[in-house]
């Protein structure tokens, strides 16, 4: 077993999920390598301290407060949009007209290219130099 392989087993060993030959090999490696055994002990202590911390933490239920704020924000947001109805409607109308103009222009260009191809003319691919 290498150092990296032993380190990969740290979490599994702390959780108690190491069994059989793998557990024997891991324990043997720690006995034969005191520095790695010390590193594992430090890792185990850190995990144990972290677990003890979470036992004492009271997690507040934030969901009702967040929901209330979102509902309030939604109402204010809708009121703001209603107050700005004219500019929003005007912008939507202008965008619609611009898109209609672009579609019309594309239709005209494609129609002209199609009629030139039907007449046997080759449409220009680039501007002459």
């Amino acid at each position: 077993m290498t150092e990296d392989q032993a380190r990969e087993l740290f979490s599994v060993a702390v959780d108690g999920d190491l069994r059989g030959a793998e557990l024997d090999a891991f324990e043997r490696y720690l006995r034969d390598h005191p520095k790695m055994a010390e590193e594992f002990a430090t890792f185990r202590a850190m995990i144990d301290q972290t677990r003890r911390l979470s036992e004492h933490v009271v997690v507040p239920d934030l969901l009702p407060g967040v929901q209330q704020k979102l509902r309030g924000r939604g109402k204010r947001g809708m009121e703001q949009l209603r107050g700005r109805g004219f500019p929003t409607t005007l912008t939507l109308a202008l965008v619609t007209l611009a898109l209609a103009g672009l579609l019309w222009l594309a239709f005209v260009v494609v129609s002209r290219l199609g009629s030139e191809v039907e007449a046997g003319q080759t449409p220009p691919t680039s501007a002459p130099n």
Side-chain angles (χ1 to χ4, degrees), residues 33-122:
H33 299 86
K35 285 187 178 185
M36 186 59 70
E38 184 179 324
E39 188 176 326
F40 178 67
T42 302
F43 179 82
R44 179 185 291 268
M46 181 180 64
I47 296 299
D48 289 343
Q49 288 174 356
T50 304
R51 288 179 178 161
R52 280 194 298 273
L53 280 175
S54 66
E55 293 171 0
H56 302 291
V57 173
V58 178
V59 179
D61 186 11
L62 301 174
L63 183 61
V66 170
Q67 287 175 331
Q68 183 179 3
K69 285 187 178 185
L70 287 174
R71 277 190 222 107
R73 182 179 295 167
K75 289 177 185 174
R76 283 193 304 275
M78 289 306 294
E79 289 168 4
Q80 288 174 353
L81 284 177
R82 285 189 194 113
R84 294 184 296 170
F86 177 72
T88 304
T89 305
L90 181 62
T91 303
L92 184 59
L94 291 174
V95 167
T96 304
L97 284 173
L99 286 174
L102 286 172
L103 286 172
W104 176 79
L105 182 62
F107 175 75
V108 168
V109 168
V110 169
S111 296
R112 287 190 182 162
L113 286 175
S115 63
E116 289 176 2
V117 169
E118 287 175 3
Q121 300 173 350
T122 306

Side-chain angles (χ1 to χ4, degrees), residues 9-23:
L9 295 175
F10 278 11
S11 293
V12 181
V14 168
D15 291 340
D17 294 334
L18 214 51
R19 306 254 188 268
E22 199 171 33
L23 176 61

